[in-house]
Amino acid sequence: MKPPQFYSGKSIRGTHVFVVNTNDTSATFNINFADVPGLHSRNVRVHDMWTSRELGTFSGSYNVTLAAHDTAALLVTQKV
């Protein structure tokens, strides 16, 4: 059985999304915002929690490329 592509959870700051690459090679993952529980809008701001960098505003989905066995930690907030 293949593990989930991402894990998510609500916080007072927004929705935390953790993307896990369990592959032995780098891979690009597409996070469709409609698939993330708790996101009521398709237009969101994405923040990289590892680097403390704002990644921008995205509509519908976000792509992240991860090295083998790497994890992305994202904070996703509704665009106002």
Side-chain angles (χ1 to χ4, degrees), residues 10-68:
K10 280 295 249 184
S11 78
I12 59 171
R13 302 189 84 196
T15 300
H16 296 276
V17 178
F18 298 91
V19 185
V20 181
N21 181 1
T22 59
N23 299 316
D24 291 330
T25 59
S26 67
T28 299
F29 298 88
N30 177 269
I31 302 303
N32 183 339
F33 301 136
D35 294 337
V36 179
L39 289 181
H40 304 290
S41 170
R42 293 183 184 259
N43 295 316
V44 300
R45 289 189 179 131
V46 179
H47 174 85
D48 184 324
M49 292 190 291
W50 296 140
T51 64
S52 296
R53 203 173 92 217
E54 295 297 327
L55 301 176
T57 300
F58 299 88
S59 178
S61 67
Y62 175 74
N63 288 331
V64 59
T65 300
L66 298 172

